[in-house]
């Protein structure tokens, strides 16, 4: 990326900029006062905002009905379908945000990479990207290819009114893990070997992934998303040193694509305890967070997370997805504990510690939303 947006490592304390179109929900007032946006910006609204990662998808019968006969990535690129699927959990559960129905590999598909999502398995590449020549051959993403994303988001925000839409993208490391391995893997060994065996090739691969993901994220925000989440799902397989040296600068690059838009940014990883503070500062030596919110998985109690990330950032999380199938009394106590510990943060967006398991009873999710909404601002007494 050659323009001024690249690598502008904007800090949270910088004045929000207004490069958004005046008709954008965040600019025209529709979502600026929503519980989600207020909490992401550090406020404690009267009611705690709650949404669920992977709320749009397989736990809903109406989703499964709609998807019959349509491949996952085709569904993502059909604006009427992506919009309807995004809206389904908002209608059903009364969550405080929609998350755009898509996938982290959509932008690489739109760039022309041969990738499919195999049901029950995940993204699978036609041929893995493992050599310098493979990286050289990666195609640029033509911005016009993002038209179905623009249209899907625009249709969705027209329906959502004052409920904000969250746009998202995969972080460069998580995308690269799929590209190098050629599909899902356990420890991402090949990817981590390439990082050290050929650091220059690795760096070019992650820069490519950062720009493709960044363009995808920017398209969603410009078209109407009021917040942006970067998913670094597999960051937990990295040492802290590797994260700082070989990954964080590229995550900065991905997020820099939305830095001039003034939307709150959420940075989430699984197994991220070792690098949680670094995911907040993005490895920058100067004090102060570089994102408005950090997502915490279920392993780390939120009050411990706050000790690691400080009080200038909002925390998001961290109901254990495994608890969704436990008896209601057990789940209820857990949700109350999550909210109590979240009271240690400047602000808290309630969510799961990772995505909704496909076999989850949707009524349980609705009940969790009602419970969270009954608990007030969640501020520590
Ligand atoms: O959160 C939402 O509700 C929005 C939609 C969303 C999907 N994928 C839809 C999807 C989001 C935000 C994602 C992000 C994503 N995709 C991540 C990061 C988040 C995370 O869970 O860690 C990752 C790692 C992927 C890659 C991916 N895509 C995986 C691992 C899978 C699951 C494979 C399987 O079938 O078990 C997918 C497919 C996918 N993405 C589905 C959905 C609803 C299932 C496809 C189906 O319904 O057949």
């Amino acid at each position: 990326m050659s323009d001024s947006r690249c690598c502008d490592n904007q800090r949270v304390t910088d004045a929000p900029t207004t490069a958004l179109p005046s008709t954008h929900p965040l600019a025209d007032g529709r979502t600026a006062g929503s519980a989600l946006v207020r909490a992401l910006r550090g406020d404690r609204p009267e009611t705690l905002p709650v949404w669920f990662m992977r709320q749009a998808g397989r736990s809903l019968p109406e989703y499964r009905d709609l998807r019959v006969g349509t491949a996952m990535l085709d569904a993502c690129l059909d604006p009427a379908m992506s919009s309807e699927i995004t809206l389904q959990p908002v209608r059903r559960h009364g969550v405080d945000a929609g998350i755009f129905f898509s996938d982290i590999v959509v932008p690489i598909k739109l760039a022309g990479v041969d990738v499919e999502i195999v049901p029950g398995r995940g993204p699978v590449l036609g041929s893995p990207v493992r050599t310098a020549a493979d990286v050289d051959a990666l195609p640029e993403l033509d911005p016009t290819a993002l038209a179905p994303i623009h249209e899907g988001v625009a249709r969705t925000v027209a329906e959502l009114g004052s409920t904000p839409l969250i746009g998202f993208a995969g972080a460069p490391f998580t995308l690269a893990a799929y590209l190098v391995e050629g599909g899902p893997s356990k420890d991402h060994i090949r990817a981590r070997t390439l990082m050290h065996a050929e650091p220059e090739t690795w760096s070019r691969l992650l820069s490519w992934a950062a720009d493709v993901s960044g363009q995808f994220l920017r398209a969603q925000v410009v078209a109407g998303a009021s917040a942006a989440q970067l998913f670094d799902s597999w960051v937990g397989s990295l040492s802290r040193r590797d994260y700082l040296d070989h990954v964080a600068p590229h995550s900065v690059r991905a997020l820099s694509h939305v830095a001039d838009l003034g939307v709150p940014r959420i940075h989430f990883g699984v197994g991220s305890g070792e690098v949680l503070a670094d995911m907040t500062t993005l490895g920058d030596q100067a004090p102060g967070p570089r994102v408005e919110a950090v997502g915490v998985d279920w392993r780390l109690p939120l009050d411990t997370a706050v000790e690691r990330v400080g009080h200038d950032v909002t925390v998001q999380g961290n109901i254990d997805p495994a608890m969704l199938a436990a008896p209601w009394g057990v789940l209820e106590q857990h949700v109350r504990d999550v909210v109590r510990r979240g009271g240690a943060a400047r602000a808290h967006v309630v969510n799961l510690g990772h995505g909704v398991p496909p076999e989850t009873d949707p009524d349980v999710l609705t009940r969790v939303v009602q419970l969270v909404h009954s608990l007030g601002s969640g501020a520590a007494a």
Side-chain angles (χ1 to χ4, degrees), residues 124-152:
V124 175
L125 278 283
S127 46
V129 180
R130 293 191 182 153
T131 66
D134 293 340
V135 174
D136 289 337
L138 286 168
E140 292 288 308
L141 172 54
D142 174 356
T144 60
L146 291 163
I149 305 305
H150 272 277
E151 196 186 330

mmCIF file of all heavy atoms in Angstrom, residues 124-152:
data_model
loop_
_atom_site.group_PDB
_atom_site.id
_atom_site.type_symbol
_atom_site.label_atom_id
_atom_site.label_comp_id
_atom_site.label_asym_id
_atom_site.label_seq_id
_atom_site.Cartn_x
_atom_site.Cartn_y
_atom_site.Cartn_z
ATOM 1 N N VAL A 124 -9.793 -24.207 2.880
ATOM 2 C CA VAL A 124 -8.798 -25.074 2.253
ATOM 3 C C VAL A 124 -8.337 -24.409 0.954
ATOM 4 O O VAL A 124 -9.157 -23.977 0.142
ATOM 5 C CB VAL A 124 -9.392 -26.481 1.968
ATOM 6 C CG1 VAL A 124 -8.397 -27.347 1.207
ATOM 7 C CG2 VAL A 124 -9.800 -27.162 3.275
ATOM 8 N N LEU A 125 -7.010 -24.318 0.784
ATOM 9 C CA LEU A 125 -6.421 -23.670 -0.387
ATOM 10 C C LEU A 125 -6.206 -24.683 -1.512
ATOM 11 O O LEU A 125 -5.859 -25.837 -1.238
ATOM 12 C CB LEU A 125 -5.040 -23.095 -0.014
ATOM 13 C CG LEU A 125 -4.911 -21.745 0.677
ATOM 14 C CD1 LEU A 125 -5.124 -20.627 -0.324
ATOM 15 C CD2 LEU A 125 -5.834 -21.591 1.860
ATOM 16 N N GLY A 126 -6.369 -24.255 -2.770
ATOM 17 C CA GLY A 126 -6.057 -25.116 -3.914
ATOM 18 C C GLY A 126 -4.592 -25.497 -3.894
ATOM 19 O O GLY A 126 -4.231 -26.657 -4.096
ATOM 20 N N SER A 127 -3.707 -24.519 -3.658
ATOM 21 C CA SER A 127 -2.286 -24.835 -3.463
ATOM 22 C C SER A 127 -1.727 -23.912 -2.387
ATOM 23 O O SER A 127 -1.968 -22.699 -2.414
ATOM 24 C CB SER A 127 -1.498 -24.695 -4.767
ATOM 25 O OG SER A 127 -1.840 -23.505 -5.417
ATOM 26 N N PRO A 128 -1.005 -24.489 -1.424
ATOM 27 C CA PRO A 128 -0.480 -23.682 -0.324
ATOM 28 C C PRO A 128 0.564 -22.668 -0.807
ATOM 29 O O PRO A 128 1.125 -22.829 -1.886
ATOM 30 C CB PRO A 128 0.163 -24.709 0.610
ATOM 31 C CG PRO A 128 0.022 -26.035 -0.016
ATOM 32 C CD PRO A 128 -0.674 -25.908 -1.315
ATOM 33 N N VAL A 129 0.813 -21.647 0.002
ATOM 34 C CA VAL A 129 1.777 -20.592 -0.336
ATOM 35 C C VAL A 129 2.993 -20.816 0.558
ATOM 36 O O VAL A 129 2.946 -20.529 1.753
ATOM 37 C CB VAL A 129 1.141 -19.205 -0.061
ATOM 38 C CG1 VAL A 129 2.107 -18.080 -0.393
ATOM 39 C CG2 VAL A 129 -0.156 -19.052 -0.849
ATOM 40 N N ARG A 130 4.077 -21.360 -0.019
ATOM 41 C CA ARG A 130 5.199 -21.779 0.845
ATOM 42 C C ARG A 130 6.553 -21.252 0.430
ATOM 43 O O ARG A 130 7.525 -21.387 1.169
ATOM 44 C CB ARG A 130 5.261 -23.309 0.897
ATOM 45 C CG ARG A 130 4.053 -23.864 1.616
ATOM 46 C CD ARG A 130 4.172 -25.316 1.923
ATOM 47 N NE ARG A 130 2.939 -25.752 2.568
ATOM 48 C CZ ARG A 130 2.471 -26.984 2.526
ATOM 49 N NH1 ARG A 130 3.136 -27.928 1.888
ATOM 50 N NH2 ARG A 130 1.346 -27.279 3.136
ATOM 51 N N THR A 131 6.678 -20.686 -0.766
ATOM 52 C CA THR A 131 7.994 -20.244 -1.249
ATOM 53 C C THR A 131 7.942 -18.771 -1.618
ATOM 54 O O THR A 131 6.858 -18.188 -1.760
ATOM 55 C CB THR A 131 8.406 -21.031 -2.509
ATOM 56 O OG1 THR A 131 7.481 -20.680 -3.555
ATOM 57 C CG2 THR A 131 8.381 -22.533 -2.278
ATOM 58 N N ALA A 132 9.130 -18.194 -1.833
ATOM 59 C CA ALA A 132 9.198 -16.795 -2.275
ATOM 60 C C ALA A 132 8.443 -16.627 -3.589
ATOM 61 O O ALA A 132 7.727 -15.638 -3.786
ATOM 62 C CB ALA A 132 10.663 -16.380 -2.439
ATOM 63 N N ALA A 133 8.560 -17.623 -4.491
ATOM 64 C CA ALA A 133 7.859 -17.529 -5.783
ATOM 65 C C ALA A 133 6.342 -17.569 -5.564
ATOM 66 O O ALA A 133 5.594 -16.857 -6.250
ATOM 67 C CB ALA A 133 8.305 -18.672 -6.696
ATOM 68 N N ASP A 134 5.884 -18.394 -4.612
ATOM 69 C CA ASP A 134 4.442 -18.441 -4.312
ATOM 70 C C ASP A 134 3.964 -17.066 -3.826
ATOM 71 O O ASP A 134 2.872 -16.612 -4.185
ATOM 72 C CB ASP A 134 4.136 -19.464 -3.196
ATOM 73 C CG ASP A 134 4.395 -20.905 -3.609
ATOM 74 O OD1 ASP A 134 4.447 -21.184 -4.826
ATOM 75 O OD2 ASP A 134 4.549 -21.755 -2.690
ATOM 76 N N VAL A 135 4.764 -16.421 -2.999
ATOM 77 C CA VAL A 135 4.371 -15.105 -2.469
ATOM 78 C C VAL A 135 4.353 -14.077 -3.600
ATOM 79 O O VAL A 135 3.422 -13.276 -3.708
ATOM 80 C CB VAL A 135 5.297 -14.672 -1.306
ATOM 81 C CG1 VAL A 135 4.987 -13.250 -0.861
ATOM 82 C CG2 VAL A 135 5.164 -15.639 -0.128
ATOM 83 N N ASP A 136 5.379 -14.139 -4.477
ATOM 84 C CA ASP A 136 5.413 -13.208 -5.618
ATOM 85 C C ASP A 136 4.164 -13.345 -6.480
ATOM 86 O O ASP A 136 3.714 -12.372 -7.079
ATOM 87 C CB ASP A 136 6.635 -13.497 -6.510
ATOM 88 C CG ASP A 136 7.932 -13.080 -5.829
ATOM 89 O OD1 ASP A 136 7.863 -12.213 -4.928
ATOM 90 O OD2 ASP A 136 8.993 -13.621 -6.198
ATOM 91 N N ALA A 137 3.635 -14.554 -6.558
ATOM 92 C CA ALA A 137 2.507 -14.816 -7.467
ATOM 93 C C ALA A 137 1.161 -14.425 -6.859
ATOM 94 O O ALA A 137 0.134 -14.499 -7.542
ATOM 95 C CB ALA A 137 2.492 -16.300 -7.846
ATOM 96 N N LEU A 138 1.145 -13.992 -5.586
ATOM 97 C CA LEU A 138 -0.139 -13.632 -4.972
ATOM 98 C C LEU A 138 -0.725 -12.409 -5.680
ATOM 99 O O LEU A 138 -0.042 -11.403 -5.863
ATOM 100 C CB LEU A 138 0.047 -13.338 -3.480
ATOM 101 C CG LEU A 138 0.276 -14.568 -2.599
ATOM 102 C CD1 LEU A 138 0.737 -14.147 -1.199
ATOM 103 C CD2 LEU A 138 -0.982 -15.438 -2.525
ATOM 104 N N PRO A 139 -2.011 -12.486 -6.064
ATOM 105 C CA PRO A 139 -2.616 -11.376 -6.814
ATOM 106 C C PRO A 139 -3.007 -10.206 -5.907
ATOM 107 O O PRO A 139 -3.327 -10.393 -4.736
ATOM 108 C CB PRO A 139 -3.863 -12.019 -7.423
ATOM 109 C CG PRO A 139 -4.198 -13.169 -6.516
ATOM 110 C CD PRO A 139 -2.924 -13.625 -5.877
ATOM 111 N N GLU A 140 -2.969 -9.000 -6.458
ATOM 112 C CA GLU A 140 -3.491 -7.822 -5.758
ATOM 113 C C GLU A 140 -5.014 -7.933 -5.682
ATOM 114 O O GLU A 140 -5.638 -8.566 -6.537
ATOM 115 C CB GLU A 140 -3.142 -6.549 -6.539
ATOM 116 C CG GLU A 140 -1.664 -6.213 -6.567
ATOM 117 C CD GLU A 140 -1.170 -5.704 -5.217
ATOM 118 O OE1 GLU A 140 -1.798 -4.772 -4.682
ATOM 119 O OE2 GLU A 140 -0.176 -6.258 -4.712
ATOM 120 N N LEU A 141 -5.597 -7.301 -4.680
ATOM 121 C CA LEU A 141 -7.061 -7.254 -4.592
ATOM 122 C C LEU A 141 -7.566 -5.994 -5.294
ATOM 123 O O LEU A 141 -7.291 -4.874 -4.851
ATOM 124 C CB LEU A 141 -7.484 -7.269 -3.111
ATOM 125 C CG LEU A 141 -8.967 -7.044 -2.789
ATOM 126 C CD1 LEU A 141 -9.878 -8.008 -3.551
ATOM 127 C CD2 LEU A 141 -9.217 -7.181 -1.293
ATOM 128 N N ASP A 142 -8.271 -6.193 -6.401
ATOM 129 C CA ASP A 142 -8.861 -5.070 -7.137
ATOM 130 C C ASP A 142 -10.051 -4.550 -6.311
ATOM 131 O O ASP A 142 -10.991 -5.309 -6.038
ATOM 132 C CB ASP A 142 -9.323 -5.590 -8.507
ATOM 133 C CG ASP A 142 -10.083 -4.545 -9.312
ATOM 134 O OD1 ASP A 142 -10.330 -3.443 -8.783
ATOM 135 O OD2 ASP A 142 -10.434 -4.852 -10.462
ATOM 136 N N PRO A 143 -10.016 -3.282 -5.901
ATOM 137 C CA PRO A 143 -11.082 -2.774 -5.012
ATOM 138 C C PRO A 143 -12.492 -2.970 -5.583
ATOM 139 O O PRO A 143 -13.450 -3.121 -4.814
ATOM 140 C CB PRO A 143 -10.764 -1.283 -4.877
ATOM 141 C CG PRO A 143 -9.336 -1.138 -5.273
ATOM 142 C CD PRO A 143 -9.001 -2.263 -6.204
ATOM 143 N N THR A 144 -12.636 -3.009 -6.903
ATOM 144 C CA THR A 144 -13.991 -3.173 -7.465
ATOM 145 C C THR A 144 -14.559 -4.557 -7.141
ATOM 146 O O THR A 144 -15.775 -4.749 -7.143
ATOM 147 C CB THR A 144 -14.014 -2.958 -8.993
ATOM 148 O OG1 THR A 144 -13.148 -3.931 -9.593
ATOM 149 C CG2 THR A 144 -13.559 -1.557 -9.365
ATOM 150 N N ALA A 145 -13.672 -5.510 -6.837
ATOM 151 C CA ALA A 145 -14.147 -6.857 -6.485
ATOM 152 C C ALA A 145 -14.896 -6.846 -5.152
ATOM 153 O O ALA A 145 -15.635 -7.784 -4.840
ATOM 154 C CB ALA A 145 -12.964 -7.825 -6.412
ATOM 155 N N LEU A 146 -14.722 -5.786 -4.361
ATOM 156 C CA LEU A 146 -15.373 -5.705 -3.048
ATOM 157 C C LEU A 146 -16.821 -5.218 -3.132
ATOM 158 O O LEU A 146 -17.485 -5.051 -2.100
ATOM 159 C CB LEU A 146 -14.562 -4.788 -2.117
ATOM 160 C CG LEU A 146 -13.197 -5.356 -1.694
ATOM 161 C CD1 LEU A 146 -12.295 -4.248 -1.146
ATOM 162 C CD2 LEU A 146 -13.364 -6.447 -0.636
ATOM 163 N N ALA A 147 -17.343 -5.017 -4.356
ATOM 164 C CA ALA A 147 -18.716 -4.508 -4.519
ATOM 165 C C ALA A 147 -19.760 -5.330 -3.748
ATOM 166 O O ALA A 147 -20.645 -4.746 -3.099
ATOM 167 C CB ALA A 147 -19.065 -4.407 -6.002
ATOM 168 N N PRO A 148 -19.712 -6.676 -3.762
ATOM 169 C CA PRO A 148 -20.729 -7.429 -3.006
ATOM 170 C C PRO A 148 -20.650 -7.194 -1.492
ATOM 171 O O PRO A 148 -21.656 -7.339 -0.786
ATOM 172 C CB PRO A 148 -20.428 -8.901 -3.322
ATOM 173 C CG PRO A 148 -19.455 -8.908 -4.447
ATOM 174 C CD PRO A 148 -18.791 -7.572 -4.487
ATOM 175 N N ILE A 149 -19.472 -6.824 -1.015
ATOM 176 C CA ILE A 149 -19.309 -6.525 0.420
ATOM 177 C C ILE A 149 -19.971 -5.172 0.709
ATOM 178 O O ILE A 149 -20.763 -5.038 1.651
ATOM 179 C CB ILE A 149 -17.808 -6.500 0.802
ATOM 180 C CG1 ILE A 149 -17.108 -7.817 0.396
ATOM 181 C CG2 ILE A 149 -17.615 -6.177 2.277
ATOM 182 C CD1 ILE A 149 -17.736 -9.063 0.945
ATOM 183 N N HIS A 150 -19.644 -4.177 -0.123
ATOM 184 C CA HIS A 150 -20.282 -2.860 0.021
ATOM 185 C C HIS A 150 -21.798 -3.007 0.038
ATOM 186 O O HIS A 150 -22.488 -2.467 0.897
ATOM 187 C CB HIS A 150 -19.892 -1.954 -1.154
ATOM 188 C CG HIS A 150 -18.642 -1.181 -0.927
ATOM 189 N ND1 HIS A 150 -18.608 -0.011 -0.226
ATOM 190 C CD2 HIS A 150 -17.370 -1.432 -1.310
ATOM 191 C CE1 HIS A 150 -17.369 0.442 -0.177
ATOM 192 N NE2 HIS A 150 -16.591 -0.403 -0.827
ATOM 193 N N GLU A 151 -22.312 -3.751 -0.928
ATOM 194 C CA GLU A 151 -23.765 -3.846 -1.069
ATOM 195 C C GLU A 151 -24.384 -4.608 0.103
ATOM 196 O O GLU A 151 -25.425 -4.200 0.633
ATOM 197 C CB GLU A 151 -24.122 -4.512 -2.405
ATOM 198 C CG GLU A 151 -25.592 -4.276 -2.741
ATOM 199 C CD GLU A 151 -26.044 -5.039 -3.988
ATOM 200 O OE1 GLU A 151 -25.213 -5.263 -4.894
ATOM 201 O OE2 GLU A 151 -27.237 -5.420 -4.019
ATOM 202 N N GLY A 152 -23.742 -5.687 0.514
ATOM 203 C CA GLY A 152 -24.260 -6.463 1.652
ATOM 204 C C GLY A 152 -24.301 -5.615 2.921
ATOM 205 O O GLY A 152 -25.286 -5.631 3.671
#
